[in-house]
Amino acid sequence: MSDPLVLIPARLAATRLPNKPLADIAGEAMIVHVWRRAVEAGIGPVVVATDTAEIARTVEAAGGLAVMTRADHPSGSDRLAEALETVDPEGRHDVVVNVQGDLPTIDPAIIGAAVMPLADRTVDIVTLCAPITDPHEADNPNVVKLVGHAVGPGRLRALYFTRARAPWGDGPLWHHIGLYAYRRTALTRFVALPPGELEVREKLEQLRALEAGMRIDAAIVDDLPLGVDTPADLERARALLQARRLN
């Protein structure tokens, strides 16, 4: 594999937390924190893909790279695909890592963990999961569960993703973490597919790939990054990052 390219899609339109990527956390915009964590992962160049000039300026002012994309993309994956062709039209990078722009406290080590299973040539896409330890999360539809079986130490093959509690019976439940590493060919194929029947029903984009017969593996990690979707999440992120700076 070539050195991966890390892309961070970021847009301002968010209903629960307006202007989310530019929210101040410990003196820097959220998107800058995410960019820094991705750079610290040390797996390849990092570029923010956005439709907003202010986000691009903010990232560039911090020393990062940003690329402008169209504003009408239906998903982050489509924004990713456009940014990839702009940043790397020659196809030097055959792996693309998608880090969500609302994970300011993410451990850089788990970004790298998403790349390793692609050494298996039968794997198209890699994602992450962590064990569910809070019983309230098991029945929370906002917590996406990964259903899979072990294919190696710390690695599952994903069979399904759902908002329901699954699978039934004794055993661990897995909290899906929405970070993806794609083979470049897999990303190209994925964004060309029409929405899947189960994707539409569950409102989970990754089911499109499974319905099309693509293989998704998941690396099991201990750290569950805080996704910032609400003002309360933002305050938690501020407290966590301020505490890190003090230490």
Side-chain angles (χ1 to χ4, degrees):
M1 292 185 293
S2 304
D3 288 338
L5 174 66
V6 182
L7 293 176
I8 306 172
R11 55 196 293 265
L12 284 185
T15 54
R16 288 188 288 178
L17 192 59
N19 299 327
K20 180 165 69 170
L22 298 175
D24 182 271
I25 301 176
E28 288 189 313
M30 185 191 314
I31 190 61
V32 173
H33 284 283
V34 179
W35 167 75
R36 291 194 190 283
R37 302 295 88 76
V39 170
E40 289 164 6
I43 60 173
V46 180
V47 182
V48 173
T50 184
D51 60 2
T52 306
E54 188 176 358
I55 291 176
R57 287 194 298 268
T58 299
V59 171
E60 290 166 352
L65 297 174
V67 61
M68 296 298 297
T69 58
R70 300 199 325 263
D72 60 348
H73 285 301
S75 72
S77 300
D78 295 286
R79 190 175 312 283
L80 214 68
E82 182 193 352
L84 176 60
E85 292 308 314
T86 301
V87 173
D88 184 29
E90 299 87 3
R92 294 187 305 270
H93 300 282
D94 61 1
V95 171
V96 185
V97 180
N98 178 4
V99 178
Q100 298 301 319
D102 59 1
L103 301 174
T105 67
I106 191 169
D107 180 353
I110 75 171
I111 299 175
V115 176
M116 301 309 296
L118 289 176
D120 181 342
R121 301 302 299 181
T122 65
V123 178
D124 298 298
I125 303 168
V126 180
T127 190
L128 302 174
C129 66
I132 291 177
T133 57
D134 181 348
H136 295 99
E137 287 192 347
D139 296 300
N140 183 347
N142 294 316
V143 175
V144 177
K145 291 83 178 175
L146 182 151
V147 179
H149 66 92
V151 290
R155 180 173 149 202
L156 304 175
R157 179 173 182 178
L159 302 177
Y160 194 62
F161 297 86
T162 181
R163 297 182 182 278
R165 183 188 183 115
W168 181 258
D170 294 333
L173 299 177
W174 300 104
H175 186 141
H176 177 233
I177 299 168
L179 183 152
Y180 299 92
Y182 298 86
R183 294 192 191 282
R184 187 176 186 135
T185 52
L187 177 61
T188 300
R189 179 185 174 196
F190 176 78
V191 296
L193 292 168
E197 177 183 344
L198 294 169
E199 172 191 2
V200 172
R201 184 168 178 175
E202 292 261 22
K203 295 182 173 58
L204 296 174
E205 187 183 43
Q206 61 270 34
L207 290 173
R208 185 189 318 175
L210 291 183
E211 288 187 63
M214 301 174 76
R215 176 168 172 173
I216 304 177
D217 277 18
I220 300 171
V221 299
D222 295 326
D223 180 73
L224 187 63
L226 169 63
V228 177
D229 292 312
T230 67
D233 295 335
L234 180 58
E235 290 307 315
R236 287 178 60 200
R238 285 171 171 158
L240 285 168
L241 288 172
Q242 187 62 41
R244 288 183 190 177
R245 290 195 170 188
L246 293 175
N247 293 330

